[in-house]
C-alpha cells in the first residue's frame, strides 16, 4: 500500500502539489491522468523520493520514503521518469543489468542474469541488446528503460508516461505487460497516462489530478464519464460503451 | 578481457623503448649482456626507470580521473584541466612554496589535493546552481574558473618572486623525475585501483542523480568519493611532473566511442590507453628534436587541442 498524506510541494511562490492525500492499494494497476502541469510527475517523483517533499508524508508498505535507507527502498519501489536522457553511453543490456544493482551491486548472480534476460525478452529487445542506447529509436529506447525497471523487480513499480514514443502495437503490448505484472506477479503498478482509453481499459483504479490537487479517484466506470473528463481537460468528450469497456472520443 | 593482453604487450614495448631513449647512451643490449658500466646502470635505475614508471602511473591515473570527472559532471568535454582542478592544485603548491617550502613531497601533494578538491567541488557546485543549456558551456565555465584561480596564483607568484618555480609545473615535463621524487604517484595508482573497485557506482552516478537514487545509490557520497580520487590523482601528477593537459579528455572519449561507458569494462582500457598515449608522446618529445627535449605537456597540448576540435566538429555534424 502506498499512503500519501497531506503532501504539498511548491517552487518559490507557486504551489504545484497542494495537500494531496491518497491511498494506492497494494496490487493492481493504478493510472494517474490529468492535464499537462497538473502535478502528476511531481507527485510520482515525491513518492519515489526523487524530489524532497515540502509537507506531508509518503509511506510505502509502512516505510516513510523520506526516512528509509535508499538501498533498502530500491528493492521495494522503482520508478521510470518521464524524460530519460543519459550522458553515459551504455548498451541496452548494460542498462538493463543496472536494474539489478540494488541486489547485486554490480556482481551479477545467475538469478540476476535470469531477470535481465526475461526483461529483455518481454520487451522484445533480444535483437537489440548489444546496441548502444544512442543508436536506438525513441520507442526502442523507451522499451529499454522499461526493461531496466522490470529487471529491478520491485513490488511497487511507477512509470511516468511509459507509452511515450511507442507505436500502437508496442503501446498495447506495454499495457498488457504491466497489467500482467500486476495480475500474475502481484506487483503494484502505477502509471501516468495521457491516453484515457488505455487508462479506461487496463486500470483497476484511476486517479485524476488537476491543478496540483487530487480531483477524483475510483474505478474506471466511475471516472471515465463525460462530465468528469470535460471538467478535467476542458475539452469536449463523448463516452461510449464498447465491448464492456468505456471508450472516450474527443475530436 | 583477453584482448587486454596484446594491449599490455604494446605498453610493455613502449616502456622498453622509453627506457632506452635519451641523451646519455644506455642500450638494451649492453644491459642484457652485462657490458653496461656502472654509470649506465646508475642512469637507468636512478633516472630512466623512475621516469618510465612515472609516465605509466601518471598517464593511466589522469585518463581514469578524466573519465570519472566526465561521469560526475555528466559531460564529455571535461577533464582535470577544464574544471579548475589542475589550477587549484597549482595554487596549493604555491601556498606550500610560500609557507612551508621544506615539506616532504607527500605532504605537498596532500595540500595540493585539498586545494584541488575545493576547486573541483566549487566547479560542480556552480554546475548545480546554474543548469546549463549547452554542453559546451560546462567546460567553458570550468576553464573560466581555472583562469580565475591561476590569475590568483600568478599574482602571488609575482609578488613573492616565485614565478620561476611555478612556471616549471605549468607544463608537464618528466625529464626531472628521479628516484625518490616520483613515489607519490603510487598513491595515484592505488586510487585508480579503488576507482576500478567502485566502477559500477561511477557508471550509475553517470546516469544522473535520479537514476542513482532509484537504484539505491547514495549519489552525494559517490560524488564525494569521485572528487577525492580525481583531486588526489591530479595533485600527485601536478606535484611530480606538472600539468598533463588533454590526456583526460582524449582517452576517455576514444574508449567511449569504441566500447561505451560501462566503467567495469572500459576503465582498464582507459588506464592502458592513457599510459600508452603519454609514453608515446614522451618518446616523440625526446626524439623529434634531440638532443633537446620537448616536454610531454607540449606534445599533448598539440595533439589534444586538435582532438578537441575534432570532437567539437563531430558533434556539429551529428547535430546538423
Ligand atoms: N523544477 C521546477 N521548477 C518550477 N516549477 C516546476 C518545476 N518542475 C515542475 N514545475 C511545475 O510544476 C507543475 C507540475 O509539473 P509536473 O511535471 O508534475 O506536471 P505533469 O502533470 O507531470 O505534466 P505533464 O503531463 O506535462 O507531464 C507544472 O506547472 C510545472 O510548471
Ligand atoms: Mg509529467
Amino acid at each position: 500500500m502506498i499512503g500519501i498524506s497531506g503532501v504539498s510541494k511548491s517552487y518559490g511562490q507557486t504551489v504545484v502539489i497542494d495537500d494531496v492525500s491518497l491511498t494506492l492499494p497494494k496490487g493492481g494497476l493504478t493510472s494517474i491522468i490529468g492535464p499537462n502541469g497538473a502535478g502528476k510527475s511531481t507527485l510520482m517523483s515525491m513518492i519515489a523520493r526523487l524530489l524532497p517533499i515540502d509537507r506531508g508524508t509518503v509511506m510505502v508498505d509502512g516505510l516513510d520514503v523520506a526516512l528509509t535507507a535508499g538501498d533498502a527502498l530500491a528493492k521495494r519501489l522503482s520508478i521510470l521518469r518521464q524524460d530519460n536522457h543519459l550522458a553515459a553511453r551504455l548498451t541496452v543490456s548494460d542498462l538493463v543489468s543496472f536494474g539489478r544493482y540494488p541486489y547485486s551491486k554490480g556482481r551479477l548472480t545467475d538469478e540476476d542474469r535470469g531477470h535481465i534476460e526475461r526483461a529483455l525478452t518481454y520487451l522484445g529487445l533480444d535483437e537489440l541488446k548489444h546496441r548502444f542506447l544512442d543508436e536506438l529509436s525513441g520507442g526502442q529506447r523507451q522499451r529499454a528503460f522499461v526493461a531496466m525497471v522490470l529487471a529491478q523487480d520491485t513490488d511497487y513499480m511507477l512509470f511516468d508516461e511509459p507509452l511515450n514514443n511507442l507505436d500502437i502495437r508496442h503501446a498495447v503490448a506495454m499495457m498488457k505487460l504491466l497489467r500482467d505484472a500486476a495480475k500474475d506477479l502481484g506487483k503494484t503498478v502505477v502509471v501516468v497516462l495521457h491516453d484515457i482509453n488505455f487508462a479506461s481499459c487496463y486500470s483497476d483504479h484511476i486517479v485524476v489530478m488537476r491543478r496540483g490537487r487530487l480531483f477524483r479517484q475510483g474505478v474506471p466506470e466511475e471516472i471515465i464519464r463525460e462530465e468528469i473528463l470535460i471538467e478535467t481537460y476542458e475539452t469536449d468528450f463523448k463516452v461510449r460503451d464498447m465491448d464492456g469497456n468505456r471508450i472516450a472520443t474527443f475530436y | 578481457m583477453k584482448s587486454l593482453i596484446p594491449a599490455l604487450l604494446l605498453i610493455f614495448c613502449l616502456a622498453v623503448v622509453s627506457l632506452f631513449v635519451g641523451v646519455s647512451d644506455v642500450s638494451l643490449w649492453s644491459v642484457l649482456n652485462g657490458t653496461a658500466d656502472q654509470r649506465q646502470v646508475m642512469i637507468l635505475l636512478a633516472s630512466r626507470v623512475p621516469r618510465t614508471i612515472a609516465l605509466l602511473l601518471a598517464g593511466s591515473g589522469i585518463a581514469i580521473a578524466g573519465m570519472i570527472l566526465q561521469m560526475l559532471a555528466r559531460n564529455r568535454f571535461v577533464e582535470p584541466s577544464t574544471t579548475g582542478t589542475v589550477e587549484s592544485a597549482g595554487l596549493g603548491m604555491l601556498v606550500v612554496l610560500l609557507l612551508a617550502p621544506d615539506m616532504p613531497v607527500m605532504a605537498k601533494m596532500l595540500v595540493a589535493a585539498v586545494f584541488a578538491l575545493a576547486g573541483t567541488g566549487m566547479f560542480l557546485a556552480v554546475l548545480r546552481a546554474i543548469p546549463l543549456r549547452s554542453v559546451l558551456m560546462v567546460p567553458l565555465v570550468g576553464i573560466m574558473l581555472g583562469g580565475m584561480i591561476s590569475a590568483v596564483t600568478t599574482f602571488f607568484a609575482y609578488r613573492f618572486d616565485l614565478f620561476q618555480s611555478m612556471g616549471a609545473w605549468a607544463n608537464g615535463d618528466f625529464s626531472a623525475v628521479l628516484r625518490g621524487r616520483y613515489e607519490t604517484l603510487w598513491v595515484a595508482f592505488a586510487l585508480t585501483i579503488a576507482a576500478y573497485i567502485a566502477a559500477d557506482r561511477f557508471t550509475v552516478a553517470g546516469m544522473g542523480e535520479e537514476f542513482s537514487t532509484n537504484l539505491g545509490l547514495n549519489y552525494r557520497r559517490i560524488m564525494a568519493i569521485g572528487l577525492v580520487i580525481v583531486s588526489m590523482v591530479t595533485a600527485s601528477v601536478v606535484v611530480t611532473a606538472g600539468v598533463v593537459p588533454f590526456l583526460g579528455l582524449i582517452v576517455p572519449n576514444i574508449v567511449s566511442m569504441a566500447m561505451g561507458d560501462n566503467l567495469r569494462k572500459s576503465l582498464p582500457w582507459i588506464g592502458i590507453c592513457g599510459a600508452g598515449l603519454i609514453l608515446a608522446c614522451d618518446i616523440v618529445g625526446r626524439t623529434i628534436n634531440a638532443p633537446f627535449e620537448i616536454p610531454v605537456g607540449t606534445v599533448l597540448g598539440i595533439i589534444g587541442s586538435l582532438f578537441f576540435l575534432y570532437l567539437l566538429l563531430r558533434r556539429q555534424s551529428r547535430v546538423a
Side-chain angles (χ1 to χ4, degrees):
Chain A
M1 192 183 82
I2 300 180
I4 301 163
S5 46
V7 165
S8 300
K9 175 91 193 166
S10 337
Y11 289 106
Q13 297 296 314
T14 331
V15 179
V16 298
I17 294 290
D18 189 3
D19 193 24
V20 170
S21 295
L22 173 67
T23 301
L24 302 175
K26 194 172 170 100
L29 192 149
T30 301
S31 299
I32 303 179
I33 62 172
N36 290 146
K40 306 178 295 296
S41 299
T42 307
L43 183 66
M44 215 177 218
S45 293
M46 287 195 290
I47 296 173
R49 55 134 165 37
L50 302 188
L51 260 187
I53 303 170
D54 287 355
R55 237 174 315 119
T57 54
V58 173
M59 309 285 276
V60 173
D61 272 350
L63 298 173
D64 185 334
V65 295
L67 305 176
T68 308
D71 52 347
L73 212 51
K75 295 178 192 167
R76 288 171 179 261
L77 173 123
S78 53
I79 180 169
L80 179 67
R81 297 195 334 133
Q82 184 172 353
D83 300 303
N84 296 289
H85 175 76
L86 291 190
R89 205 160 165 261
L90 296 177
T91 62
V92 172
S93 82
D94 282 341
L95 178 78
V96 177
S97 307
F98 278 110
R100 299 304 296 170
Y101 182 83
Y103 307 89
S104 64
K105 308 282 184 223
R107 310 263 181 276
L108 297 179
T109 63
D110 284 342
E111 194 197 333
D112 293 324
R113 283 195 190 86
H115 281 287
I116 294 162
E117 289 306 317
R118 250 168 293 152
L120 286 168
T121 308
Y122 281 148
L123 285 143
L125 293 167
D126 288 311
E127 322 257 84
L128 299 174
K129 66 178 173 188
H130 297 303
R131 292 266 285 275
F132 284 106
L133 291 170
D134 55 2
E135 297 164 351
L136 297 181
S137 76
Q140 292 167 337
R141 204 175 305 137
Q142 179 72 1
R143 275 149 56 204
F145 284 118
V146 172
M148 171 182 168
V149 173
L150 227 53
Q152 201 174 336
D153 191 39
T154 52
D155 286 345
Y156 294 86
M157 298 178 164
L158 317 180
F159 298 91
D160 197 346
E161 303 194 23
L163 305 184
N164 267 355
N165 292 320
L166 297 188
D167 64 25
I168 294 170
R169 175 169 86 94
H170 284 107
V172 172
M174 178 74 71
M175 288 311 295
K176 287 193 170 140
L177 180 84
L178 298 180
R179 185 184 57 191
D180 292 347
K183 239 201 217 130
D184 305 338
L185 305 174
K187 306 286 183 194
T188 307
V189 180
V190 184
V191 280
V192 172
L193 292 178
H194 276 304
D195 188 319
I196 297 167
N197 292 325
F198 272 128
S200 170
C201 299
Y202 285 87
S203 321
D204 300 304
H205 192 80
I206 298 180
V207 171
V208 187
M209 300 272 306
R210 198 170 149 248
R211 297 183 188 158
R213 290 176 157 271
L214 173 65
F215 181 52
R216 290 287 150 81
Q217 60 165 322
V219 294
E221 295 71 44
E222 294 171 318
I223 300 296
I224 307 301
R225 302 165 76 99
E226 282 167 10
E227 66 278 12
I228 293 182
L229 295 180
I230 290 171
E231 201 179 342
T232 307
Y233 290 99
E234 291 160 14
T235 306
D236 266 338
F237 277 93
K238 293 260 177 299
V239 175
R240 306 249 144 72
D241 268 311
M242 276 170 72
D243 309 326
N245 286 317
R246 298 178 75 80
I247 302 296
T249 54
F250 42 85
Y251 295 104
Chain B
M1 274 298 132
K2 238 184 244 160
S3 47
L4 277 174
I5 293 170
L8 281 170
L9 275 178
L10 183 67
I11 298 297
F12 182 76
C13 296
L14 278 172
V16 172
V17 173
S18 159
L19 281 179
F20 296 100
V21 174
V23 181
S24 325
D25 145 65
V26 183
S27 83
L28 174 59
W29 187 238
S30 64
V31 173
L32 286 183
N33 67 16
T35 57
D37 61 34
Q38 219 172 2
R39 190 189 63 89
Q40 288 172 324
V41 173
M42 179 60 196
I43 287 174
L44 194 66
L45 291 184
S47 153
R48 297 286 174 79
V49 170
R51 177 175 191 159
T52 301
I53 293 179
L55 282 163
L56 287 169
L57 299 179
S60 54
I62 288 287
I64 286 173
M67 183 68 214
I68 292 176
L69 210 42
Q70 290 178 13
M71 293 309 248
L72 299 185
R74 301 227 284 145
N75 187 294
R76 283 255 85 101
F77 296 99
V78 301
E79 66 124 17
S81 61
T82 62
T83 52
T85 313
V86 163
E87 290 79 4
S88 310
L91 181 60
M93 296 241 310
L94 177 79
V95 170
V96 171
L97 276 180
L98 278 178
L99 301 180
D102 300 326
M103 267 185 162
V105 185
M106 188 63 89
K108 278 186 188 153
M109 188 278 272
L110 286 177
V111 175
V114 170
F115 275 77
L117 189 66
T120 322
M122 192 147 79
F123 169 71
L124 290 176
V126 171
L127 285 195
R128 276 179 88 93
I130 38 166
L132 301 167
R133 258 170 289 133
S134 147
V135 283
L136 288 178
M137 281 297 286
V138 172
L140 286 182
V141 166
I143 289 169
M144 259 164 51
L145 182 70
M148 271 150 48
I149 295 169
S150 57
V152 174
T153 312
T154 310
F155 175 78
F156 284 104
Y158 260 123
R159 282 296 298 263
F160 296 96
D161 220 9
L162 288 168
F163 209 63
Q164 286 289 320
S165 359
M166 288 311 291
W169 69 266
N171 201 349
D173 183 358
F174 285 76
S175 59
V177 169
L178 294 171
R179 192 165 51 194
R181 301 233 342 237
Y182 78 98
E183 281 75 2
T184 44
L185 282 174
W186 287 108
V187 175
F189 181 71
L191 288 169
T192 58
I193 301 290
Y196 182 69
I197 293 170
D200 293 302
R201 282 158 218 244
F202 288 121
T203 313
V204 173
M207 297 199 266
E209 181 161 9
E210 282 91 5
F211 268 96
S212 306
T213 309
N214 173 49
L215 294 175
L217 181 80
N218 188 329
Y219 187 70
R220 281 166 183 272
R221 187 184 304 158
I222 194 69
M223 285 289 263
I225 294 174
L227 275 180
V228 168
I229 291 179
V230 169
S231 309
M232 299 265 282
V233 170
T234 306
S236 63
V237 174
V238 167
V239 167
T240 317
V243 182
V244 181
F246 289 114
L247 191 71
L249 182 81
I250 304 174
V251 174
N253 272 288
I254 289 178
V255 173
S256 167
M257 283 176 211
M259 60 190 311
D261 291 326
N262 186 346
L263 296 194
R264 178 66 59 207
K265 292 181 205 154
S266 69
L267 266 194
W269 282 99
I270 292 171
I272 287 178
C273 294
L277 183 60
I278 200 174
L279 272 176
C281 288
D282 188 64
I283 293 170
V284 168
R286 285 150 84 179
T287 47
I288 204 165
N289 195 20
F292 303 104
E293 273 198 27
I294 302 172
V296 71
T298 309
V299 180
L300 270 170
I302 295 166
I303 298 178
S305 42
L306 290 176
F307 183 80
F308 196 58
L309 275 179
Y310 162 74
L311 270 188
L312 295 184
L313 294 174
R314 193 180 78 106
R315 226 185 113 256
Q316 291 299 328
S317 67
R318 279 175 80 179
V319 172

